[in-house]
């Protein structure tokens, strides 16, 4: 009788272990600046998945869900990389690090408003209204 109970407990432990292994194993999508990649992982958190995928992030990057969020099957991790930006306005040079890419968003972050007659340039070329 003891042998049957012991065998049943061993079988239950093995089944529980296999179930946990399957539950912990997941596939997540990681999109860095809209470039997708899939990762199959046993990581528990977003941070763990990014470390496993060798994706370094900075505190200025935008990461969703947050680094400490738990992973589920089919979690989508979105990363917008921050970049160094220089804004020259009214004779002043402003250095920023931002995830914004649109000129008007960059100006808003720097608390700069456009006035009539202002012209925006990017890399020395004037911007059209479609590029703002």
């Amino acid at each position: 009788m003891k042998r049957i109970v012991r065998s049943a407990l061993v079988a239950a432990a093995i089944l529980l272990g296999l179930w946990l292994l399957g539950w912990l194993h997941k596939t997540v999508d990681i999109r860095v600046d809209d470039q997708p990649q899939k990762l199959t992982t046993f990581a528990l958190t977003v941070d763990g998945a990014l470390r496993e995928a060798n994706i370094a992030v900075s505190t200025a990057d935008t990461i969703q869900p947050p680094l400490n969020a738990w992973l589920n099957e089919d979690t989508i991790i979105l990363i917008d990389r921050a970049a160094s930006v220089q804004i020259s306005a009214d004779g002043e040079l402003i250095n920023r690090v931002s995830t914004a890419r649109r000129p008007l968003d960059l100006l808003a972050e720097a608390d700069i408003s456009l006035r009539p007659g202002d012209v925006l340039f990017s890399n020395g070329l004037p911007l059209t209204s479609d590029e703002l």
Side-chain angles (χ1 to χ4, degrees):
M1 184 67 160
K2 286 183 179 182
R3 187 173 169 168
I4 293 173
V5 171
R6 190 179 356 209
S7 295
L9 287 174
V10 168
I14 290 171
L15 288 175
L16 178 62
L18 290 173
W19 177 80
L20 278 173
L21 192 62
W23 180 74
L24 291 172
H25 187 258
K26 59 197 80 64
T27 300
V28 298
D29 287 317
I30 302 173
R31 297 182 190 152
V32 181
D33 292 328
D34 291 326
Q35 297 298 314
Q37 70 181 72
K38 284 205 178 288
L39 175 68
T40 302
T41 182
F42 287 100
L44 298 176
T45 63
V46 169
D47 184 49
L50 295 179
R51 279 189 279 119
E52 186 174 324
N54 293 317
I55 297 174
V57 292
S58 79
T59 56
D61 294 338
T62 301
I63 304 158
Q64 286 297 325
L67 289 173
N68 63 350
W70 293 99
L71 290 179
N72 297 310
E73 180 68 27
D74 296 324
T75 294
I76 298 172
I77 302 170
L78 303 173
I79 301 170
D80 286 325
R81 296 254 186 231
S84 296
V85 178
Q86 283 190 333
I87 301 171
S88 177
D90 300 326
E92 182 182 349
L93 188 61
I94 302 166
N95 292 303
R96 299 189 56 81
V97 176
S98 176
T99 58
R101 297 295 183 258
R102 293 185 36 226
L104 290 179
D105 295 337
L106 291 164
L107 293 176
E109 284 183 2
D111 200 27
I112 298 172
S113 55
L114 288 177
R115 295 183 297 245
D118 285 346
V119 179
L120 291 180
F121 292 85
S122 176
N123 295 323
L125 300 173
L127 296 175
T128 66
S129 58
D130 293 338
E131 297 171 303
L132 298 179

